[in-house]
Amino acid sequence: MINWDAHACLPQHPLADFTPVHRLHAAGVNYVSLNVGADMNPLSQVMSVIAGYRATIAADPERYALVSSVDDIIQAAADGRMAISFDLEGALPLLEQPDMVALYAQLGVRQMHFAYNRNNSVADGCHDVARGLTPLGQRMVEAVNQNGILMDCSHTGRLCSLEIMNASSHPVIFSHANPYTLVQHGRNVTDEQIRACAATGGVVCVSGLSFFLGSAQPDANDVARHVAYIADLVGIKHAGIGLDICFQQPGLDDTPPGDFDPSHWWPASAGYSADKPPSFTPPEVWRELPAALRRAGMSETEAELVLGRNMMRVAQQVWGAAEAALAQAA
């Protein structure tokens, strides 16, 4: 049994403390996708973070494994190590060059989406004007598919996400997004988006943020309620977990350099407020999720699908396709 957390955030700093990763592992998580940057982070910061995270992982091979395949994850779990790969939130760090996708893949990025809440030259954000996937975005989807990276649609506008899912030749995921029908927040996804994701063979992974769960202090039962909605709508094989826990560390400033404006990325018009930040489920909620999913009406086997097997299936298909292409080219 592999427990798979599809998205978590440490400080965007090369010296970030990995103690939160230890907490996830202690709570039963075998694999986590760590964010290494978003649209508000310039390339210099993203590369510094990737270098720092890679160095931390390499310095403790008994505890961590930087993975590129599902087999790597299974082996890491057997060895008692935490399996890690990286994700990118937004296309601005791609510098409008599809070839950058391959570079990020080589550095450990195994998952990415193209817009963080706001529009760019590739895709639309969920808190911006709807335009749809751009011609450059079409080429970026092809690059993501060709390089065996999981195509993510979190933070992406509704119309644009539908066009990405239509353009992708591989299953598409939402690594941290919840049903809009349950909580009417712009970051959540509509039934139409959930159905389209399932039609690709993909997975919608439920976030643990209070804003998106509709609970001031979210717990395992809140997460399970959103999982159950997805399962009832499109089937248990299309639901997963991506708690999106953001671990801030005092004394470590990861503010993006330059004219960073938080109100642009998290606009008040979308319900964000600096005076009322979101709360997160703690890593230890993973211990409670199996029982919470059972209380929500799922069997033990169905709970295992949600907790990891569904994402393993999609990753095997997407990451495995890249391995096969590389082997054929060789």
Side-chain angles (χ1 to χ4, degrees):
M1 173 63 190
I2 298 294
N3 287 336
W4 184 298
D5 195 326
H7 182 73
C9 300
L10 297 176
Q12 299 297 297
H13 194 286
L15 300 180
D17 183 356
F18 269 45
T19 297
V21 178
H22 307 170
R23 290 176 62 190
L24 282 169
H25 197 208
V29 177
N30 305 107
Y31 166 86
V32 64
S33 179
L34 293 180
N35 173 245
V36 291
D39 272 347
M40 73 282 296
N41 302 114
L43 182 63
S44 58
Q45 186 179 22
V46 175
M47 287 300 170
S48 177
V49 168
I50 290 175
Y53 287 12
R54 287 176 61 94
T56 298
I57 293 167
D60 198 348
E62 299 300 314
R63 177 171 279 172
Y64 311 121
L66 185 62
V67 300
S68 60
S69 71
V70 170
D71 286 345
D72 290 344
I73 295 172
I74 294 171
Q75 185 61 57
D79 295 339
R81 298 184 294 163
M82 179 63 137
I84 300 169
S85 66
F86 305 141
D87 62 66
L88 193 64
E89 295 192 279
L92 291 182
L94 299 175
L95 305 180
E96 300 189 337
Q97 299 178 53
D99 288 341
M100 287 289 287
V101 174
L103 175 61
Y104 280 109
Q106 292 168 17
L107 294 175
V109 172
R110 290 291 175 270
Q111 177 178 301
M112 69 172 61
H113 56 79
F114 288 157
Y116 188 95
N117 293 348
R118 294 297 197 173
N119 293 359
N120 55 44
S121 63
V122 171
D124 296 349
C126 60
H127 298 320
D128 215 324
V129 177
R131 307 164 309 170
L133 186 66
T134 70
L136 175 59
Q138 292 278 351
R139 298 197 297 275
M140 288 294 191
V141 172
E142 292 174 6
V144 165
N145 288 164
Q146 290 168 359
N147 286 282
I149 291 177
L150 288 167
M151 185 73 255
D152 190 357
C153 281
S154 304
H155 290 275
T156 308
R158 184 194 63 82
L159 172 63
C160 191
S161 74
L162 294 173
E163 293 182 350
I164 288 171
M165 288 185 275
N166 184 62
S168 178
S169 59
H170 289 164
V172 174
I173 66 167
F174 287 90
S175 66
H176 53 299
N178 298 357
Y180 183 85
T181 298
L182 295 184
V183 178
Q184 282 74 57
H185 191 287
R187 262 280 284 114
N188 285 345
V189 291
T190 66
D191 288 359
E192 181 184 25
Q193 290 170 287
I194 295 171
R195 289 191 179 101
C197 179
T200 72
V203 177
V204 179
C205 297
V206 171
S207 165
L209 263 74
S210 56
F211 291 167
F212 313 144
L213 284 173
S215 174
Q217 296 296 325
D219 60 20
N221 291 325
D222 296 314
V223 174
R225 180 170 71 98
H226 284 248
V227 169
Y229 182 87
I230 296 166
D232 289 343
L233 183 68
V234 294
I236 195 70
K237 292 184 178 181
H238 303 290
I241 304 292
L243 292 182
D244 190 21
I245 306 173
C246 295
F247 300 96
Q248 297 302 312
Q249 296 172 4
L252 206 59
D253 184 9
D254 65 349
T255 304
D259 56 352
F260 171 64
D261 178 8
S263 67
H264 171 73
W265 301 103
W266 300 282
S269 60
Y272 301 97
S273 170
D275 297 328
K276 295 181 179 180
S279 57
F280 303 87
T281 54
E284 290 71 27
V285 79
W286 271 94
R287 296 193 183 106
E288 304 164 11
L289 282 173
L293 294 171
R294 294 295 299 274
R295 287 193 295 271
M298 296 167 218
S299 68
E300 182 177 351
T301 299
E302 289 172 331
E304 289 180 355
L305 289 172
V306 171
L307 295 172
R309 288 186 178 175
N310 288 337
M311 282 301 299
M312 285 180 69
R313 166 182 54 81
V314 173
Q316 183 69 65
Q317 182 174 344
V318 175
W319 296 349
E323 292 176 355
L326 288 172
Q328 186 174 9

